[in-house]
Amino acid sequence: RPKNIEYVRPLQVNDCVAAEILPAKAEVLGGDNNAASQKSTSPESAQSSLPDWQFMGAFENYVFFKAGDSVKILDAAGAKKRIVFDSIIDSLESGAKRPAQTLLLPLCLQLDRLDSEILRDNLGQFSACGFEIEEFGKNFFRILTLPQWAEISQAEGFVKDFLELKKTSAPARAADINYAFAMSAAQAVRGATTPDCAESATQLLSKLFKCQNAANAPDGAYIIKSADKNFLARLFK
C-alpha cells in the first residue's frame, strides 16, 4: 500500500506542467475544437459527447478503439483511477453517500488513543465514500461496509494510511484533505478489470467522459493515446 503519502495541490494547466501535457478533451475525442469548447461540462452534456468509437479488442491493461482514421488506446487502470478520484471528490463536496458493499464479516481495527481520536473526527469523510465504521469498544472499531472500488484486503491498510497522513500533515483546508483522501483512494486501486466486449468498453468510456479531465489520471499520467496510420507505418520502417 502507499507509504508516506503527502498532500500535493492538484496540478493546474498554468502551473509548472506545460499545457500540452494535459490535452484538452477535444484533442482526445479527435473532434472539432470549437464545437468541443461550446459543450457544457454538465453530466448530461458529458453523456451526449461520448465519442463514437468502435471497440476493437483488449490486450493486458489496454483497450483499443477505432476512431475514424486513427486508433485510440485506453489505459483501463488509469481510467478506473480517474473515475474513483472524481467520484470521491464529488461525494465529499456534495455530502451524498456512494454505493457500498456490505461485508459478511466486519473487519476489526484496534487503534491507539491518538488514531482513535483522528478516526472519530473523520468518520464523516469515510462515510461519504462508502465506508461504514462503528466504534465497538475502547479504541476498537469495526468496518461494516466498503466502497465498491475497495478490496477487502486493502481496507485496513487504507484506513491506517489515511490516519498516518492526518498525523504527519500540517493542518489543511477541507478541500486539501478531500483531495488527499481521494488521491489515496485512487492510488489504492488495483487490478482494474479490462473491458473484453463492446458493452463493457462503452460503459467504461461513459463513466470516464463524465469526469472533468478524461485525458489524464489523477497523478497526471495519460489515460488515452492516439495512433494514426502514419505512426503505425513508421513502426515498420
Side-chain angles (χ1 to χ4, degrees), residues 77-96:
K80 178 67 173 177
K81 289 180 179 181
R82 168 54 65 186
I83 293 166
V84 167
F85 180 88
D86 280 31
S87 175
I88 290 177
I89 289 293
D90 179 66
S91 297
L92 294 174
E93 291 181 349
S94 67

Side-chain angles (χ1 to χ4, degrees), residues 123-233:
L123 284 177
Q125 285 182 306
F126 281 97
S127 178
C129 295
F131 286 92
E132 182 180 348
I133 304 176
E134 68 172 10
E135 192 164 4
F136 199 68
K138 185 176 181 181
N139 300 329
F140 188 80
F141 297 82
R142 298 194 307 176
I143 302 176
L144 305 178
T145 68
L146 295 177
Q148 293 182 337
W149 53 263
E151 297 288 341
I152 295 177
S153 60
Q154 298 172 339
E156 180 179 351
F158 176 77
V159 173
K160 290 184 175 180
D161 280 344
F162 184 75
L163 297 178
E164 188 65 24
L165 173 69
K166 291 284 290 185
K167 285 192 295 185
T168 58
S169 300
R173 297 178 296 111
D176 296 340
I177 293 299
N178 288 351
Y179 174 82
F181 192 101
M183 182 61 78
S184 299
Q187 290 175 340
V189 171
R190 296 288 187 273
T193 302
T194 303
D196 57 359
C197 65
E199 181 180 0
S200 58
T202 300
Q203 290 175 352
L204 181 62
L205 280 181
S206 177
K207 293 178 181 178
L208 177 62
F209 277 91
K210 288 179 181 178
C211 299
Q212 290 188 356
N213 181 5
N216 297 85
D219 59 3
Y222 282 112
I223 295 175
I224 301 171
K225 298 287 278 186
S226 181
D228 59 19
K229 60 182 181 181
N230 294 327
F231 172 82
L232 296 174

Side-chain angles (χ1 to χ4, degrees), residues 16 21-22 38 45-46 53 68-69 74 78 81 95 120 186 223 232:
C16 58
I21 293 179
L22 302 175
Q38 296 173 358
S45 64
W53 294 351
D69 58 356
L74 181 143
K81 289 180 179 181
R120 290 190 198 98
I223 295 175
L232 296 174

